[in-house]
């Protein structure tokens, strides 16, 4: 029979590991992610289909025209200027940090 203190310790382990699992869940196709508890920075490759699963939603790079970037975040399409004020989509703040000929860097944060 397992002692009560050991059962309590074993019950706590999944809750301690939960934040690590949430961070490990970030990833995508033709993109790199750097996430913390409530935000992610996503570097999308240009010229290919690029997407990332972050913070429980899928983010996709749709189009880049000059410094205007069109993204689909959780099914909502939003166009955001690079370096400017962000926009909101699906309960997230979305801002474009930089646009180069090869990559687009986007920050997506849970608002509130």
């Amino acid at each position: 029979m397992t002692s009560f203190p050991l059962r309590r310790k074993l019950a706590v382990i999944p809750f301690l590991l939960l934040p690590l699992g949430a961070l490990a869940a970030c990833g995508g196709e033709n993109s790199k992610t750097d996430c913390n508890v409530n935000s992610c920075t996503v570097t999308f490759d240009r010229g290919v289909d690029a997407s990332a699963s972050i913070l429980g939603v899928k983010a996709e790079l749709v189009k880049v025209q000059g410094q205007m970037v069109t993204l689909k975040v959780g099914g909502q399409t939003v166009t955001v200027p690079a370096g400017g004020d962000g926009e909101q989509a699906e309960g997230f703040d979305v801002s474009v940090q930089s646009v180069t000929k090869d990559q687009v860097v986007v920050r997506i944060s849970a608002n509130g």
Side-chain angles (χ1 to χ4, degrees):
M1 180 177 228
T2 306
S3 70
F4 184 72
L6 180 57
R7 282 186 185 171
R8 185 181 304 170
K9 290 176 187 174
L10 291 175
V12 170
I13 289 174
F15 293 106
L16 294 174
L17 297 176
L18 185 60
L20 296 176
L23 293 179
C26 293
E29 181 178 323
N30 297 312
S31 64
K32 297 180 199 100
T33 58
D34 180 20
C35 296
N36 63 33
V37 175
N38 64 351
S39 68
C40 288
T41 300
V42 183
T43 302
F44 292 105
D45 294 338
R46 289 185 65 178
V48 294
D49 289 334
S51 64
S53 294
I54 48 135
L55 304 171
V57 297
K58 183 176 183 179
E60 300 174 69
L61 179 62
V62 175
K63 174 175 79 171
V64 179
Q65 187 170 2
Q67 293 294 301
M68 297 300 289
V69 178
T70 302
L71 302 155
K72 186 183 256 187
V73 178
Q76 183 177 346
T77 302
V78 61
T79 300
V80 184
D85 292 333
E87 296 289 331
Q88 292 191 358
E90 293 294 319
F92 294 95
D93 292 325
V94 181
S95 62
V96 177
Q97 294 182 332
S98 67
V99 175
T100 68
K101 67 181 182 92
D102 298 318
Q103 297 178 325
V104 176
V105 181
V106 177
R107 182 158 181 85
I108 300 173
S109 308
N111 59 16

